[in-house]
Amino acid sequence: MSRYSLIAAIVLAAAIFLFDTLTQFDVAIAVLYVAVVLLSLNFTGRRGTLAVAAICILLTLISFVVTHGAGMESGAVARALVSLAAIVITTILALRLAATIAIIGESERRYRTIFRSTGVAILEMDFSALKARLDSMRSDGARSIDDIVRDDPNFVREALGLMKLVNANDTTFSTFKAPNLEAFRERLPDLTPKEMEPSILRMLDAIWNGRTNFESEGVMEAIDGKRLNVLYTVAMPTDRRALDVVLVSIMDVTARLEAENGLHQAQAELAHVSRVATLGELTVSIAHEVNQPLAGVVTNGEAGLRWLRRPEPDLGEVSASIERMIADARRASEVIKRLRALSSKATPQPTSVDINELVQDTLTLVQREIASQHVALRLSLADGLGRISGDRVQLQQVIINLIVNAIQAMGAMPVGYRQLAILSRAGEDGVVLEITDTGPGFEPADEARLFAAFFTTKPEGMGMGLSICRSIVEAHGGRLRASSPASGGASFEFSLPADKEAA
């Protein structure tokens, strides 16, 4: 096109020059040179346009001199000045236009480069048919997308058919294993499985309510049948109410989700190892808690036999002995059940939990440890606390770890100064449990990394206990904090949200 523009500009400039020089019309024929300047934008740059403008000005002056000679008639001079002014103004405007076109062109090239090579799948869609369909249904009295789907359960599939694919980038083809745009356009509705329909339904609701963007996660399929976990965003420009240009970006997060699942699995394994290690530290206390009721069973059994062997058996005493045996056996059974729960690798099972009952159950397992270390226990459990939702085993692990840490921290303190306080109270939106000791505390510099993995102040510690505790608490929607006043001691406080269903 630039070649033809050059030829056209030369021909037009010659024609204007000849017509302006050889005719005697009282009009500013040289004004037509502006067309030559504009044509120059197609085949030259800034300097070339300036050169063309200079040539047009020169041709105008030559025509004026040839036609009028030394006679400077006011009308002719005015026409010449008008022509020159038109050429100059057109040149300035043409250069500005060229600069603007260059900026737009560069922006377009940059956009196309990003569109084609970005690592996210980008689809340019036309939702105009879908928008028209929704507007029609609104006019027919539909009040919401839920009403539409209630009347027509297959509407989501119909909506997918109304979404037209206009263009897609290279990442889209590689992500969905599509050979080209046409193949992907043809298969796109089939790549959206039924599991994706609830997410598509929420997107339709966003369009219905006039939102300009929507983001969600879902499951799609590649052409080769591989299932993809995707995070997708839909951008609907406000300046195109017909939704004829909609950008959909799709990110394949399958690998990320697999990595997260692997991390959760590793955390669960580590938490289990930590529980087993903690139970190992409490072996003496656990043995005592189990042996006590077993010893009671033996004692009451022997007493019952003695009552039976009398010349006149006392059946009332025998019955009382048997009842005490049953109670002791149940007590031992409860201890063993809690130990089995703590040592198991079962999947977390959220239930409605009373934090005070959980503390009391946990103290059963560490009571011997508290007594053997001569620790004075102060228990202050508030009444009327709401229940929380969580996994009893995991929460019990947190409480055991914090109590055992507190007991070990006070090991170097004089016997009379070892005090352990456990307090429960109502929080802003749930329950708070605080465990405080009178040990040496920790340095302010250590507070920031206290919950970091592998950080420990104990020579033989792994540095995983507090890190696991925080992970468990945060997984329950709570928060674990630590503080150490200048006077000594340490306080660990965790808050958990209330169980709304139990309220």
Side-chain angles (χ1 to χ4, degrees), residues 144-433:
S144 68
I145 289 294
D146 289 338
D147 288 344
I148 295 173
V149 175
R150 194 178 300 113
D151 295 336
D152 181 8
N154 295 320
F155 178 72
V156 173
R157 306 311 302 186
E158 177 187 346
L160 287 171
L162 294 173
M163 301 175 191
K164 304 301 180 185
L165 177 65
V166 177
N167 200 0
N169 66 348
D170 295 340
T171 305
T172 302
F173 304 143
S174 60
T175 299
F176 291 93
K177 303 297 185 292
N180 51 53
L181 179 62
E182 288 302 322
F184 183 64
R185 180 185 289 121
E186 181 180 351
R187 294 290 306 277
L188 182 56
D190 300 329
L191 302 181
T192 309
K194 199 150 186 80
E195 299 97 308
M196 187 74 165
E197 290 187 8
S199 179
I200 299 297
L201 188 61
R202 293 195 298 273
M203 184 192 73
L204 293 175
D205 184 70
I207 297 174
W208 180 272
N209 291 297
R211 288 164 55 188
T212 58
N213 57 76
F214 175 80
E215 181 176 294
S216 182
E217 293 188 11
V219 178
M220 297 186 71
E221 294 179 354
I223 289 179
D224 62 0
K226 180 183 178 182
R227 294 178 69 82
L228 306 173
N229 296 102
V230 298
L231 171 67
Y232 71 100
T233 303
V234 182
M236 295 160 279
T238 56
D239 58 343
R240 306 185 78 97
R241 305 303 299 175
L243 300 185
D244 56 335
V245 176
V246 174
L247 291 180
V248 180
S249 60
I250 302 176
M251 182 182 298
D252 181 7
V253 295
T254 305
R256 188 190 75 183
L257 289 180
E258 290 176 352
E260 289 179 354
N261 291 336
L263 178 61
H264 292 324
Q265 181 69 24
Q267 288 175 336
E269 293 283 349
L270 191 57
H272 173 249
V273 170
S274 176
R275 284 200 300 272
V276 173
T278 302
L279 291 177
E281 295 179 9
L282 299 175
T283 301
V284 176
S285 295
I286 292 169
H288 175 77
E289 291 302 323
V290 174
N291 282 331
Q292 261 194 337
L294 292 179
V297 170
V298 173
T299 300
N300 285 301
E302 291 174 346
L305 284 175
R306 285 195 299 270
W307 290 114
L308 282 173
R309 289 170 179 169
R310 285 190 168 193
E312 293 184 12
D314 190 333
L315 297 182
E317 290 292 344
V318 172
S319 177
S321 295
I322 292 174
E323 287 177 357
R324 288 192 294 270
M325 289 171 61
I326 293 173
D328 286 332
R330 285 176 176 169
R331 180 181 165 191
S333 176
E334 283 297 316
V335 173
I336 293 171
K337 186 164 71 172
R338 293 191 197 106
L339 292 174
R340 288 186 63 186
L342 277 170
S343 61
S344 69
K345 295 175 64 175
T347 304
Q349 298 293 332
T351 58
S352 183
V353 179
D354 184 312
I355 192 69
N356 290 345
E357 290 180 3
L358 190 63
V359 170
Q360 296 283 12
D361 288 346
T362 304
L363 286 174
T364 302
L365 298 176
V366 295
Q367 190 65 50
R368 179 73 176 178
E369 194 77 11
I370 293 173
S372 66
Q373 295 298 320
H374 306 287
V375 174
L377 174 64
R378 181 167 65 90
L379 202 59
S380 178
L381 304 179
D383 295 328
L385 295 179
R387 301 178 74 86
I388 58 175
S389 177
D391 181 79
R392 288 184 63 89
V393 171
Q394 289 190 344
L395 294 177
Q396 197 169 25
Q397 178 180 358
V398 173
I399 297 172
I400 288 177
N401 279 352
L402 295 180
I403 291 176
V404 170
N405 282 352
I407 294 172
Q408 292 176 347
M410 294 185 289
M413 305 299 293
V415 171
Y417 291 90
R418 300 175 188 176
Q419 298 178 8
L420 175 66
I422 303 177
L423 301 90
S424 67
R425 65 177 186 273
E428 293 183 2
D429 58 351
V431 176
V432 176
L433 187 69

Side-chain angles (χ1 to χ4, degrees), residues 106-116 124 247:
E106 179 61 28
S107 177
E108 178 71 14
R109 284 191 295 273
R110 188 180 300 113
Y111 167 77
R112 287 297 168 189
T113 301
I114 295 173
F115 180 82
R116 288 293 179 188
E124 183 180 332
L247 291 180

Side-chain angles (χ1 to χ4, degrees), residues 483-503:
S483 60
S484 181
S487 58
S491 176
F492 290 84
E493 174 185 297
F494 67 88
S495 57
L496 295 169
D499 184 1
K500 296 180 180 179
E501 294 183 2

Side-chain angles (χ1 to χ4, degrees), residues 23-148:
T23 61
Q24 300 295 323
F25 294 110
D26 295 333
V27 293
I29 297 174
V31 170
L32 297 175
Y33 281 120
V34 299
V36 177
V37 174
L38 294 175
L39 279 172
S40 70
L41 295 176
N42 293 323
F43 59 83
T44 188
R46 177 183 177 84
R47 291 184 178 180
T49 300
L50 288 173
V52 170
I55 293 172
C56 291
I57 291 172
L58 180 61
L59 292 176
T60 300
L61 293 174
I62 293 173
S63 295
F64 180 81
V65 172
V66 171
T67 303
H68 300 285
M72 296 292 180
E73 299 177 4
S74 59
V77 172
R79 290 193 296 273
L81 292 176
V82 167
S83 299
L84 293 174
I87 295 171
V88 171
I89 293 172
T90 301
T91 301
I92 294 172
L93 294 176
L95 291 175
R96 289 184 178 178
L97 176 62
T100 302
I101 292 174
I103 293 173
I104 293 174
E106 179 61 28
S107 177
E108 178 71 14
R109 284 191 295 273
R110 188 180 300 113
Y111 167 77
R112 287 297 168 189
T113 301
I114 295 173
F115 180 82
R116 288 293 179 188
S117 59
T118 186
V120 177
I122 300 178
L123 284 63
E124 183 180 332
M125 306 287 291
D126 181 356
F127 283 10
S128 56
L130 173 62
K131 183 66 164 58
R133 176 71 170 136
L134 292 176
D135 290 343
S136 173
M137 300 178 88
R138 191 191 297 269
S139 300
D140 292 340
R143 292 177 297 178
S144 68
I145 289 294
D146 289 338
D147 288 344
I148 295 173

